[in-house]
Amino acid sequence: MIQVESWNSITVCGMKGTGKTTLIKKGLLPKYKELFVFDPNGEYSEFPSYQPESDSPMELERIAKVIWDRWNCLLVVSEAELYLPVNQNLPPSIFKIVARGRHRNIGLIADTRRIANLNKTVFGLSEHCFVFRHFSPTDTNYLNQFLTEDARKLANLQNYWYWHYTRGTVEVCSPLPV
């Protein structure tokens, strides 16, 4: 059984349609009492959520600041590569959540299709990473820098199967019962 703490930073990555949203909704979010979803695609309407009007990281920053000031909450960022892109500094409140959120019991789930395009601080400070099917050499080469298994094997994962990576170990996980 996967032990997730309320203050953990979590990355969920993989191609579209492989099971990321299902894992988040059915496997992760039920563990949280307080949560808020930054939801550009309107996929989380059953949860407290906000559908942004733009792809601006500053729109996410406004939400993150409220959560930072509130304490005791999980922030889910869907399509995170758009709002927390590689080679850009994290907005201040997002950085505080990622780097020091545990001191305020604030967690983060970053959901991304392209792990190589996600800000390296977000991925690098995640206590858990749930990795669904990838086939792009850019993404698999990036993952091979961290994973103890060859990420090229991810191209053969069936939908809803994933790897759970934490503390230097990879576990292959079957789909959640839905």
Side-chain angles (χ1 to χ4, degrees):
M1 185 165 149
I2 298 169
Q3 186 68 24
V4 174
E5 302 292 337
S6 59
W7 50 265
N8 285 162
S9 288
I10 298 168
T11 299
V12 180
C13 59
M15 296 171 55
K16 62 184 175 181
T18 56
K20 297 182 307 293
T21 303
T22 299
L23 174 70
I24 293 168
K25 284 181 171 182
K26 307 289 185 190
L28 296 174
L29 295 188
K31 300 174 185 283
Y32 295 90
K33 292 180 183 172
E34 299 291 329
L35 62 99
F36 192 81
V37 183
F38 191 80
D39 184 16
N41 294 328
E43 295 178 296
Y44 292 88
S45 58
E46 67 271 36
F47 300 99
S49 60
Y50 171 76
Q51 197 164 0
E53 298 172 7
S54 72
D55 290 342
S56 169
M58 293 319 295
E59 197 168 357
L60 173 59
E61 171 62 10
R62 289 191 296 276
I63 300 295
K65 182 173 180 352
V66 170
I67 292 191
W68 179 257
D69 292 341
R70 182 171 181 247
W71 298 48
N72 303 312
C73 190
L74 170 73
L75 174 59
V76 179
V77 180
S78 186
E79 309 295 335
E81 73 277 8
L82 298 175
Y83 302 95
L84 306 170
V86 70
N87 298 330
Q88 286 188 18
N89 290 331
L90 290 174
S93 297
I94 290 290
F95 180 79
K96 288 191 279 191
I97 288 171
V98 171
R100 301 193 313 263
R102 72 182 182 98
H103 299 291
R104 291 185 177 214
N105 195 34
I106 301 172
L108 174 75
I109 295 177
D111 165 10
T112 182
R113 293 170 294 184
R114 298 297 312 274
I115 189 63
N117 294 347
L118 181 67
N119 183 282
K120 293 181 184 330
T121 300
V122 173
F123 180 61
L125 294 180
S126 289
E127 283 84 13
H128 298 273
C129 188
F130 297 91
V131 186
F132 288 81
R133 184 172 54 249
H134 284 76
F135 74 89
S136 163
T138 302
D139 291 319
T140 56
N141 290 339
Y142 180 72
L143 286 166
N144 273 332
Q145 297 175 53
F146 306 97
L147 301 179
T148 55
E149 294 287 327
D150 184 351
R152 292 176 297 182
K153 294 178 186 176
L154 290 165
N156 297 318
L157 275 182
Q158 294 181 26
N159 286 348
Y160 302 99
W161 285 76
Y162 58 93
W163 290 1
H164 173 237
Y165 173 71
T166 189
R167 298 185 178 153
T169 63
V170 172
E171 174 187 7
V172 178
C173 300
S174 59
L176 294 173
V178 179

